[in-house]
Amino acid sequence: GYLKDSALFVIGEGTGALRVRGDLAAPSKGQTMALDRESLFQHLMVFGGTGDGKTTAVLKPVLRQVMQQPDFGVYVTDAKGVLWHDAEKIAREAKREGDIIRIGTGEGEYGVNICDRLTPNQIAATLRSVLQQAGGGSSESFWPDMAANIMRHMLTIGRAYARTSKGQAETSDIHPYSLWWAYQAVLDEAKLTAALRELEDATKPVLDEMRQAIGRRDMAAYDRLASEYLPLMGPDIRASREYLDGAWAGMAKETKSGRSEGRRVGEEC
């Protein structure tokens, strides 16, 4: 009796084709086809060519029925950028205007930071894989390796900078732990310098306190300070700062931008 009071979500009528072919358990012609509550939450694949009416015949009718259930909601991922208009219209028709949350890049919309809960190493590895595939799987790995490496360092600094007071102030505009901030830091030396300076200013007094704690042999205070400020001065952050202050700072602009003379000629060809 678990589903005896469950709402049914009609998806169409049986054609009877399989029953005619000898499957006596198949739906009869004209028989109503519906999903119960549990079946609705399972995978459903709808086949049809472009313009055959998949959205009109199946998706929108199911959306209307789901929206009529006050305890049910819908998450719509719209690759074509048009379905969300229909989804919002259906929600309004069902008096669910207050439930609409639009995730996008427009004004007043909710954003998503795809870097959240990912480490700089994970992001860099994914970026390197994408760049290699975009390059047609070429055996030439210098540029993908370099791009992934510099983004790893920039993201490491950005993640630490986001924990400082100035970094937190920037989150309302561009979150420092994001691909866009890291990309801007690659192109804008002043942006990177400001972040590195803020990290130094934020950690210097803490290091002084830690030295004083060691002098007092107050290891409890030392451990507390170390754990509290490790996200700002951990070994990965020190390594990235050394790379950016050293190898990256002394690198030629053409190499930094990936626009070496040979590469430019190859792209123009």
Side-chain angles (χ1 to χ4, degrees):
Y2 173 58
L3 293 172
K4 68 176 183 178
D5 296 323
S6 171
L8 293 178
F9 302 88
V10 177
I11 59 172
E13 294 183 351
T15 63
L18 294 179
R19 180 174 283 266
V20 170
R21 294 177 183 176
D23 185 353
L24 299 181
S28 303
K29 184 176 181 179
Q31 181 178 344
T32 300
M33 306 297 299
L35 301 172
D36 58 46
R37 184 179 63 208
E38 292 296 305
S39 299
L40 183 68
F41 297 139
Q42 306 302 313
H43 295 294
L44 176 66
M45 181 178 291
V46 182
F47 292 95
T50 302
D52 279 353
K54 299 182 295 295
T55 301
T56 301
V58 179
L59 186 54
K60 290 200 286 187
V62 170
L63 275 177
R64 290 190 180 93
Q65 295 173 77
V66 171
M67 290 293 186
Q68 294 297 329
Q69 302 295 319
D71 296 332
F72 283 21
V74 176
Y75 173 77
V76 178
T77 301
D78 185 8
K80 294 183 178 180
V82 293
L83 179 60
W84 67 274
H85 291 285
D86 294 324
E88 288 195 358
K89 180 180 178 182
I90 291 171
R92 293 190 182 94
E93 291 173 351
K95 311 299 182 185
R96 303 280 297 270
E97 298 94 334
D99 295 337
I100 298 174
I101 296 176
R102 189 185 301 169
I103 301 173
T105 58
E107 184 177 353
E109 297 178 350
Y110 286 79
V112 175
N113 185 355
I114 61 174
C115 295
D116 189 37
R117 303 193 183 189
L118 293 176
T119 67
N121 285 334
Q122 290 172 322
I123 298 171
T126 302
L127 179 62
R128 182 180 183 277
S129 176
V130 170
L131 289 174
Q132 283 189 317
Q133 293 179 47
S138 171
S139 59
E140 172 61 50
S141 63
F142 174 78
W143 295 107
D145 288 347
M146 179 182 171
N149 188 45
I150 185 58
M151 287 298 282
R152 176 173 61 84
H153 288 302
M154 290 295 183
L155 288 165
T156 298
I157 296 301
R159 183 169 63 169
Y161 176 57
R163 294 185 171 101
T164 66
S165 57
K166 289 186 178 180
Q168 290 174 4
E170 282 193 31
T171 57
S172 60
D173 182 21
I174 299 176
H175 200 292
Y177 191 47
S178 64
L179 292 175
W180 183 235
W181 187 93
Y183 174 70
Q184 288 188 325
V186 170
L187 300 179
D188 187 353
E189 185 176 346
K191 193 175 190 70
L192 175 61
T193 301
L196 292 173
R197 186 182 300 117
E198 174 65 12
L199 283 174
E200 184 176 354
D201 293 343
T203 56
K204 187 175 181 179
V206 179
L207 291 172
D208 291 338
E209 289 185 49
M210 292 173 70
R211 293 189 188 99
Q212 294 172 15
I214 292 176
R216 299 190 309 268
R217 295 186 178 181
D218 187 353
M219 299 313 297
Y222 177 87
D223 291 340
R224 177 182 59 80
L225 289 167
S227 61
E228 185 176 350
Y229 285 91
L230 186 62
L232 298 182
M233 56 185 186
D236 57 334
I237 300 168
R238 293 198 300 270
S240 291
R241 290 175 64 173
E242 290 175 3
Y243 174 84
L244 295 172
D245 285 336
W248 177 252
M251 199 175 292
K253 289 185 178 180
E254 291 80 3
T255 306
K256 286 183 177 181
S257 63
R259 300 290 295 181
S260 66
E261 196 64 36
R263 189 172 178 83
R264 184 183 298 115
V265 171
E267 289 176 349
E268 289 176 352
C269 289

